[in-house]
Amino acid sequence: MTNLPPVKRFITHSGVRIYRLPFRFLPDLSGRVYLLLGAGPPTLVDASNGRPDAIADVLSGMEAVRNDFNETFRPDDLKRILITHAHVDHHGGLAEWVQRTGADVGVHPLDWPDIAAFDERTILSRHRFEWLLTVSGVPATNRPALLEQFLRSRRHIEGVQPTFPLDDGLQLDGLQIIHTPGHSPGHVCILVDNVLLVGDHILARTMTQQWPESTGAYMGLGHYLESLAKVEAIPGIEVALGGHEPPIDDFYKRVAVVRASHLRRVERVVQVLRKSDQPLTTAELTERVYVSQASFYAFLAFTDIAARVEYLDQRGRLRVANLDQIQQEPDAAYRYAVV
């Protein structure tokens, strides 16, 4: 059972009130949406996963905002919803909130199709992921379980047509939109004075999950690290608020820790390949780096290693050692060695 943190208020230098509203997501992981008051019309950043218990949690949080913090806000007052990225735990509740409030919806153009045409994008994403499983050397008997977890992360929800684009650099009633691709193509962070709403770009305790760019443009570790440098260059951030986990009080230190951790993991792949007496597939690398992973964690381990292999390959640090086989067999798995 997920233990939810309390509703918490953050007040920016200009007096914008940001309320953290937690909701139930996974047994060991809660999510957060943020209610912004004093920065234009009442605005919700992200929409929860849309499950009934999550919607109830957010409504309870809104009630606490009114009762415990003496705000006059009521859910019907909501006029605007900004989506940090098109993952189900962040936009799954969008249809519910739009139906309840008629709020305008802002999304970055690169994540717009995932929200407006969810079914179409899920079919295309599944096709790309099945191809990745094949060329990564995942045994045919193991593919259905990984595919099931992939589809679980994209469980069916009702598509919603966004109202306006969250373009990079957009200024919106004192809110600044910063495009930070990597975790998703259209991921954005939102700067409110000295507070940065970071979605899933940076988390306080864990490393943001990486996805191979082959499953979607503007994803991948390379884009992620570039986005990390982009937000690091913003001066004066005193606290960062993520879609999960506690606030990040020492933002710039956390950025440095996250970068170093990702780069260490990249080098771990290189070390494993150097120690191997033969070239390895991505699936074999996953087994050697992550031992005894199962279910959803096996899926996360595989996509993590696939993203790091792709990053190394794109930068010329790996070579594909079985080109003749690939030329002759359309479904041959790629076997990598260190250059």
Side-chain angles (χ1 to χ4, degrees):
M1 178 66 68
T2 303
N3 292 319
L4 293 180
V7 172
K8 186 173 182 178
R9 179 173 64 184
F10 303 83
I11 301 178
T12 74
H13 285 171
S14 69
V16 177
R17 290 100 65 206
I18 302 174
Y19 289 95
R20 177 186 68 186
L21 310 181
F23 64 90
R24 283 165 281 183
F25 174 42
L26 296 175
D28 57 351
L29 181 66
S30 59
R32 288 104 172 86
V33 303
Y34 293 93
L35 176 64
L36 277 57
L37 301 177
T43 297
L44 193 66
V45 174
D46 287 335
S48 85
N49 59 17
R51 294 188 184 276
D53 57 354
I55 296 295
D57 289 338
V58 175
L59 286 170
S60 177
M62 290 178 174
E63 185 176 357
V65 167
R66 186 170 61 253
N67 295 335
D68 299 343
F69 295 92
N70 298 316
E71 296 280 5
T72 60
F73 172 83
R74 294 183 179 276
D76 290 348
D77 297 332
L78 192 65
K79 300 300 182 186
R80 186 167 61 191
I81 304 171
L82 309 180
I83 299 298
T84 62
H85 62 295
H87 288 171
V88 169
D89 55 319
H90 292 260
H91 77 98
L94 195 51
E96 174 79 15
W97 291 113
V98 170
Q99 183 178 6
R100 282 174 175 266
T101 67
D104 290 331
V105 177
V107 179
H108 189 275
L110 290 176
D111 274 5
W112 190 296
D114 267 8
I115 292 176
F118 184 80
D119 290 341
E120 170 193 315
R121 288 292 161 163
T122 296
I123 292 170
L124 295 175
S125 295
R126 172 177 179 154
H127 184 267
R128 287 192 292 264
F129 190 71
E130 287 178 322
W131 174 86
L132 178 65
L133 293 174
T134 299
V135 299
S136 296
V138 175
T141 54
N142 295 351
R143 293 176 199 170
L146 289 173
L147 183 59
E148 179 183 355
Q149 295 300 330
F150 173 74
L151 293 175
R152 172 189 168 190
S153 72
R154 297 183 62 88
R155 68 172 181 82
H156 179 76
I157 60 171
E158 183 180 347
V160 174
Q161 186 64 40
T163 311
F164 61 97
L166 297 181
D167 292 314
D168 186 40
L170 175 67
Q171 298 283 345
L172 196 66
D173 298 312
L175 313 178
Q176 181 180 346
I177 305 301
I178 303 157
H179 183 212
T180 49
H183 184 61
S184 86
H187 192 291
V188 298
C189 295
I190 302 171
L191 184 64
V192 194
D193 300 328
N194 54 311
V195 178
L196 186 66
L197 302 174
V198 290
D200 283 355
H201 186 47
I202 306 166
L203 299 176
R205 295 171 176 166
T206 57
M207 296 296 110
T208 298
Q209 180 66 24
Q210 297 303 304
W211 311 92
E213 191 171 359
S214 55
T215 63
Y218 290 92
M219 295 169 69
L221 184 57
H223 286 297
Y224 177 80
L225 292 174
E226 290 172 358
S227 295
L228 205 62
K230 186 175 183 178
V231 295
E232 185 181 34
I234 301 170
I237 297 172
E238 296 182 6
V239 64
L241 305 176
H244 310 277
E245 303 184 354
I248 304 170
D249 293 320
D250 196 337
F251 173 73
Y252 301 100
K253 179 179 179 180
R254 181 60 182 163
V255 170
V257 168
V258 167
R259 178 189 294 108
S261 178
H262 279 302
L263 294 178
R264 279 197 305 271
R265 294 184 186 190
V266 167
E267 294 308 316
R268 173 65 176 149
V269 171
V270 174
Q271 292 168 9
V272 170
L273 282 171
R274 282 180 174 156
K275 291 180 180 178
S276 176
D277 58 2
Q278 62 181 359
L280 300 174
T281 66
T282 297
E284 290 167 341
L285 277 163
T286 303
E287 292 176 353
R288 298 192 184 195
V289 175
Y290 291 101
V291 180
S292 301
Q293 297 294 324
S295 189
F296 190 59
Y297 295 100
F299 165 69
L300 295 179
F302 168 72
T303 55
D304 177 77
I305 295 299
R308 299 180 197 288
V309 168
E310 182 181 79
Y311 177 83
L312 288 162
D313 182 49
Q314 289 173 339
R315 283 149 184 80
R317 297 187 60 189
L318 302 182
R319 64 181 179 86
V320 179
N322 61 329
L323 290 177
D324 289 343
Q325 180 189 14
I326 292 170
Q327 196 169 27
Q328 296 171 10
E329 303 173 20
D331 294 335
Y334 295 4
R335 292 191 165 275
Y336 292 96
V338 177
V339 171

